[in-house]
């Protein structure tokens, strides 16, 4: 069984590694966890002893198959709790991350299965991120940043890259949400901002940074 802190480190390594694809530098982990390199070194030793990661000097940390499975279960719990908080307790999508960070460490597998069943087995969380099933599998849909799109094709907003409360509040203020149908009306050459139509009803301008952090499908 992993401790609260070990789970947090493992989840961070999983995300930094591109879902387990590449090695991660200790400096990257320290920056993400907002801690000292010495603390990261101590944690690497603990996680290596539990066969959650492998480490090579000058190469970095790579998550093992067992470590990836554990990380995905933490991710699963986090995203299920976010979904529960929004759908059932009516939190806004910019309020749920910190609460889910606490709830994701509950160890009861039965509770999580009951939660999944209660929510009718959602496949994405309120931010559009895929929810792994109980075996760690999830469906990946090819999504592209809105900033890479052009023309007046209809697009659907599927996910956000930036989950910060300030960004989510910015989107809400402009009527942008997961599942919205949008059409690009104009791309402003000067600053890369976009004029978009949301659900065929509302015209808004969004910044280039915002469009870079919105993932869409055609």
């Amino acid at each position: 069984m992993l401790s609260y802190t070990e789970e947090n480190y493992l989840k961070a390594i999983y995300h930094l590694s591109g879902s387990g694809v590449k090695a991660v530098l200790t400096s990257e982990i320290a920056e993400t966890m907002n801690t000292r390199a010495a603390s990261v070194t101590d944690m690497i030793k603990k996680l290596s002893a539990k066969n959650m990661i492998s480490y090579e000097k000058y190469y970095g940390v790579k998550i093992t198959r067992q470590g990836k499975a554990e990380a995905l279960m933490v991710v699963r719990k986090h995203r299920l709790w976010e979904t529960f908080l929004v759908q059932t307790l009516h939190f806004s999508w910019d309020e749920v991350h910190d609460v889910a960070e606490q709830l994701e460490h509950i160890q009861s597998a039965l509770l999580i299965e009951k939660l999944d069943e209660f929510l009718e087995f959602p496949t994405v969380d309120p931010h559009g991120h895929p929810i792994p099933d109980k075996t760690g599998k999830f469906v990946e849909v090819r999504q592209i940043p809105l900033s890479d799109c052009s023309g007046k094709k209809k697009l659907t907003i599927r996910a956000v890259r930036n989950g910060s409360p300030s960004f989510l509040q910015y989107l809400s203020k402009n009527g942008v949400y997961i599942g919205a149908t949008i059409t690009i009306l104009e791309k402003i050459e000067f600053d890369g901002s976009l004029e978009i139509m949301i659900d065929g009803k509302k015209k808004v301008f969004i910044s280039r940074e915002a469009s870079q952090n919105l993932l869409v499908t055609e």
Side-chain angles (χ1 to χ4, degrees):
M1 185 178 293
L2 300 175
S3 71
Y4 182 109
T5 305
E6 287 170 339
E7 286 189 339
N8 282 339
Y9 267 88
L10 196 60
K11 184 176 68 168
I13 292 167
Y14 169 76
H15 287 309
L16 288 168
S17 70
S19 303
V21 174
K22 61 182 181 179
V24 181
L25 299 176
T26 54
S27 58
E28 294 178 285
I29 301 171
E31 182 178 356
T32 298
M33 299 302 294
N34 193 26
T35 191
R36 298 172 301 146
S39 298
V40 174
T41 300
D42 289 341
M43 182 56 66
I44 286 172
K45 291 177 182 177
K46 291 179 181 178
L47 292 174
S48 295
K50 294 185 177 183
N51 196 34
M52 297 295 158
I53 60 169
S54 60
Y55 173 71
E56 289 184 42
K57 197 172 183 181
Y58 308 121
Y59 178 67
V61 173
K62 195 153 190 181
I63 198 164
T64 64
R65 181 180 296 182
Q66 182 180 346
K68 183 177 178 180
E70 292 286 348
L72 281 167
M73 287 305 101
V74 179
V75 170
R76 168 174 164 78
K77 289 186 285 185
H78 182 99
R79 293 177 179 173
L80 281 173
W81 282 119
E82 285 194 334
T83 304
F84 174 79
L85 290 167
V86 169
Q87 289 188 5
T88 308
L89 299 186
H90 308 298
F91 279 66
S92 62
W93 67 339
D94 58 277
E95 295 174 324
V96 295
H97 178 75
D98 288 346
V99 181
E101 283 280 298
Q102 300 172 53
L103 293 169
E104 71 185 24
H105 300 289
I106 293 174
Q107 295 297 325
S108 172
L110 178 60
L111 172 61
I112 300 306
E113 295 314 305
K114 292 288 187 182
L115 177 64
D116 194 17
E117 182 181 1
F118 175 78
L119 294 169
E120 299 182 345
F121 308 103
T123 56
V124 295
D125 71 10
H127 308 113
H129 303 143
I131 301 174
D133 66 17
K134 61 184 178 182
T135 67
K137 295 179 181 177
F138 56 88
V139 177
E140 289 190 271
V141 178
R142 185 178 178 274
Q143 302 165 342
I144 58 174
L146 178 58
S147 56
D148 290 353
C149 300
S150 59
K152 294 192 176 183
K153 294 175 288 188
K154 284 191 176 181
L155 305 166
T156 302
I157 297 175
R158 297 296 184 188
V160 293
R161 278 176 163 173
N162 182 341
S164 68
S166 59
F167 179 59
L168 298 176
Q169 289 162 12
Y170 167 85
L171 295 179
S172 294
K173 185 175 180 180
N174 284 284
V176 179
Y177 63 96
I178 302 299
T181 299
I182 63 168
T183 305
I184 299 173
L185 301 178
E186 185 180 5
K187 192 167 191 173
I188 310 303
E189 186 176 344
F190 172 68
D191 60 1
S193 60
L194 298 176
E195 182 184 20
I196 61 173
M197 175 78 78
I198 303 173
D199 294 333
K201 299 175 183 178
K202 182 180 180 181
K203 293 181 182 180
V204 297
F205 282 92
I206 61 171
S207 68
R208 178 172 56 185
E209 184 176 357
S211 68
Q212 290 171 338
N213 282 286
L214 285 171
L215 298 176
V216 300
T217 56
E218 292 186 8

